[in-house]
Amino acid sequence: MRKFIGPSILTISLALGLYLLFLLYTTGQTMLACAGLGVLTLTAWIFTSARAYAYRYLFPGVMAVLVFVLLPLVYTVSIGFTNFSSKNLLTFERATDYLLDETQRTDSSGYQSTLYGDGKQFRIKLERPDLNESFLSGPLALRRAVPLKVELTPFEPQQAAALGQPLSLRDIIGLQASLKMLTLVMPNKIELRMLGLREFGPIAHLYVALPGHALKSVASGEIIKPNFKTGFYETADGTQLEPGFKVNIGFANFVHIFTDQAFREPFLRIFLWTICFSLITVATTTGLGMALAVLLNWDALKFRGAYRTMLFLPYAVPGFISILVFKGLFNNNFGEINLVLDALFGIKPAWFSDTTLAKCMILIVNTWLGYPYMMVVCMGLIKAIPADLYEASALAGAGPLTNFFKITLPLIIKPLTPLMVASLGFNFNNFVLISLLTGGRPDFLDTKLPAGTTDLLVSYTYRIAFEDSGQNFGLAAAISTLIFLLVAAISLVNMRLTRMNRN
């Protein structure tokens, strides 16, 4: 019985994978479906072929790296070379179809509509008393809001008995989404669309397709051509029609980062602040953690266990909770920190509105969050130092400062350096701290693009992609690529230092 469990799981997994690939293919993602089919084929071969038995244990890990690490990385970098934004979300084909589907009401009068149904099947009756015209549709499901063309036939009086009672306005409102997707075609081929809850009327398309991807305005006869450099259909005078479409623009986003004055000013300031923030944080967390580690390794200190527990608590509490607590403590009007400062010195600093104070607050909070890790690491490194060195130093009459600078620091700084470099890379992308504490604010007052004085590159990228600047995903991806290169360089330095330590 047990020998059938593995093949059964593999068969079910492959069948589920094929079904998901079929759904991808039906949505137009042909390339992604083909790539997935290749992965499924490789999976089936590895887990069924005796020659590939050795790869069965390696394959899941490799696929996880490809899917969760390499694929998002490649996709993000590729977006950086496009104009992908809130105005250029669609492909060229979908943008074209959208414009061709745009309609407007004609001057003709509409038809009064009445909806009949029993909850499963529905029929629409159209009437125009002034022309003595009535039409009736065939049975409709109206279960999903999908585009649907329905032929109408002339209404015969004897059909009235089979229709039953008309639906109420409340029922029509519930089916409104499906009704809006209907196109009713009259016997003379005139198309009708929903104009109101009880009215259908003739509609006319705004544009018609021409050879060579061009469109023609029905009202003015103007020719509208796609511009594959800007990603918009444009008229002769340069007017752009929305929605736009996604196109490849090469290195334009990267050039924009360094050449556009409106963007370059906040970018350079934020870049310098990001570097300063990362360096100062590493210095303060390492310095404080090392000092506390030295104190806690002092044999004459009583209650060392209690002190260690209390000093380690900031690392045990989830970071986002600590950040929100500090946000309340630093509140300008009701925070405990300002209440104490006001009682002692008569001052109430504006932590969130003053640029310098906001940056100091961020550094204080991040030091609180980061020092326990460095403290624990330094405590372990100090424990590894031979006690004979300190005994010899004591016999020579050296004091605590001499022991620290001549023995402790030289012996722990080398293994500690890779961790400091890793901490530098982490704080370079410390999005959670900025997002929860200040949101990047206060904003610069002399820039055209919204940018915060406490923004790091990663939070600034988030604002560009999802909040401000028209949700420019392509530009945000370009900045993310630069951040990745910087962090990758830091990681290479870290690996280099680790290799040197081993030697």
Side-chain angles (χ1 to χ4, degrees), residues 151-409:
E151 300 283 345
L152 296 177
T153 57
F155 175 73
E156 301 294 339
Q158 58 269 25
Q159 294 176 312
L163 293 177
Q165 295 295 323
L167 296 183
S168 64
L169 185 61
R170 179 179 180 180
D171 295 328
I172 295 175
I173 293 175
L175 298 169
Q176 186 177 7
S178 299
L179 293 172
K180 285 185 175 181
M181 303 298 289
L182 290 180
T183 299
L184 304 181
V185 183
M186 299 178 64
N188 57 3
K189 303 305 179 184
I190 294 178
E191 295 183 353
L192 308 177
R193 297 286 291 272
M194 188 178 185
L195 303 178
L197 291 176
R198 295 190 182 275
E199 183 183 12
F200 277 74
I203 51 92
H205 290 275
L206 296 180
Y207 308 100
V208 293
L210 296 178
H213 302 302
L215 303 179
K216 179 181 179 181
S217 174
V218 176
S220 63
E222 187 176 14
I223 305 301
I224 303 166
K225 296 182 179 180
N227 187 332
F228 291 99
K229 293 182 179 180
T230 61
F232 288 96
Y233 273 95
E234 297 180 354
T235 59
D237 60 358
T239 303
Q240 296 176 340
L241 301 182
E242 293 187 4
F245 48 91
K246 187 169 63 174
V247 294
N248 193 328
I249 58 175
F251 289 90
N253 285 323
F254 297 91
V255 173
H256 180 65
I257 293 173
F258 298 103
T259 59
D260 190 336
Q261 186 70 17
F263 181 80
R264 184 175 58 188
E265 288 185 1
F267 179 82
L268 292 178
R269 296 187 205 176
I270 292 171
F271 176 70
L272 292 175
W273 159 240
T274 302
I275 294 177
C276 292
F277 165 78
S278 302
L279 292 175
I280 294 174
T281 296
V282 172
T284 54
T285 54
T286 304
L288 181 59
M290 190 180 299
L292 292 174
V294 172
L295 290 175
L296 292 175
N297 275 282
W298 183 28
D299 294 334
L301 182 65
K302 296 182 179 180
F303 308 111
R304 285 190 301 169
Y307 294 146
R308 288 174 182 173
T309 302
M310 289 188 294
L311 291 173
F312 185 73
L313 283 179
Y315 196 68
V317 177
F320 74 94
I321 294 179
S322 298
I323 294 171
L324 294 177
V325 169
F326 270 104
K327 189 173 183 178
L329 292 175
F330 279 102
N331 185 276
N332 294 340
N333 298 317
F334 308 106
E336 284 76 2
I337 293 177
N338 271 13
L339 292 178
V340 173
L341 291 176
D342 186 34
L344 295 177
F345 308 105
I347 59 174
K348 299 181 71 173
W351 296 102
F352 291 92
S353 55
D354 183 87
T355 300
T356 303
L357 291 177
K359 291 181 177 180
C360 292
M361 175 182 63
I362 289 174
L363 291 171
I364 293 172
V365 175
N366 207 32
T367 300
W368 170 267
L369 295 174
Y371 85 82
Y373 173 74
M374 288 298 181
M375 181 187 71
V376 172
V377 172
C378 289
M379 287 174 60
L381 293 175
I382 293 173
K383 285 290 186 182
I385 298 176
D388 297 344
L389 296 177
Y390 293 106
E391 294 175 0
S393 177
L395 292 175
L401 291 178
T402 302
N403 288 340
F404 176 76
F405 287 106
K406 297 296 184 181
I407 300 176
T408 305
L409 185 61

Side-chain angles (χ1 to χ4, degrees), residues 72-86:
L73 175 62
V74 172
Y75 182 67
T76 301
V77 173
S78 65
I79 290 177
F81 293 91
T82 68
N83 65 339
F84 193 35
S85 67
S86 58

